Amino acid sequence: MTSQSDSAELAGTFIENAAGFMHGAALAPSDFTEQRLHSASIAFELSTKAAILHAGGTDEQNRRELRHDLVRAIDAADAIGFEASPAARRFAARLSPYYSTHTLAALAIDTAEAGELVQAAEAHLAAVIAWMAAPAFQNRNPL
């Protein structure tokens, strides 16, 4: 069984890793669409799962129930109190069918839309970080 402190520590690690993947997405040339979207999708998944861990979920639940499904992850995060933006929901809906099956190369997308999706993932990461730092979590009783 995962303790609350283990989940909180793992949430922090997920956020750090998500930031690294977002940095990679930002550095990739705009015409490297698949690479940018793959990095942004990983960042999106990790940051969403970090929110779930921070609120008392477990890594086992994330792996077993959510896997790489970005839509299910957003729904699970919303269920524990995180409010995903419309842009984050669009990101999840647009990319999850490809990301969750490792077929991003098959996604027909132009560089402008890809850029918007990368920006949505970056904003989502920032929103999760802010949500996790909110006072409501500072004095929270463990589940």
Side-chain angles (χ1 to χ4, degrees):
M1 186 169 132
T2 305
S3 73
Q4 184 70 24
S5 63
D6 290 343
S7 288
E9 184 176 335
L10 187 57
T13 300
F14 277 20
I15 290 294
E16 289 173 14
N17 290 340
F21 279 103
M22 277 312 313
H23 184 67
L27 290 179
S30 62
D31 59 333
F32 281 47
T33 302
E34 182 185 354
Q35 177 186 345
R36 291 178 73 212
L37 292 177
H38 188 251
S39 292
S41 294
I42 293 170
F44 190 95
E45 176 183 6
L46 288 171
S47 59
T48 306
K49 289 180 175 179
I52 294 165
L53 289 168
H54 189 75
T58 68
D59 191 40
E60 177 64 24
Q61 289 170 317
N62 281 340
R63 281 193 314 255
R64 187 181 61 248
E65 297 169 15
L66 306 178
R67 304 183 49 86
H68 299 299
D69 188 318
L70 303 176
V71 173
R72 280 196 307 211
I74 278 290
D75 289 344
D78 279 354
I80 52 92
F82 178 78
E83 292 183 34
S85 71
R89 288 204 161 277
R90 279 192 302 279
F91 180 99
R94 180 76 165 110
L95 294 180
S96 194
Y98 300 93
Y99 174 70
S100 65
T101 58
H102 311 284
T103 58
L104 277 172
L107 176 62
I109 190 169
D110 61 39
T111 55
E113 183 185 5
E116 290 170 9
L117 290 170
V118 170
Q119 288 176 348
E122 189 169 25
H124 178 70
L125 171 59
V128 169
I129 291 169
W131 183 77
M132 288 171 58
F137 281 105
Q138 301 307 312
N139 297 311
R140 194 173 156 274
N141 291 326
L143 297 177

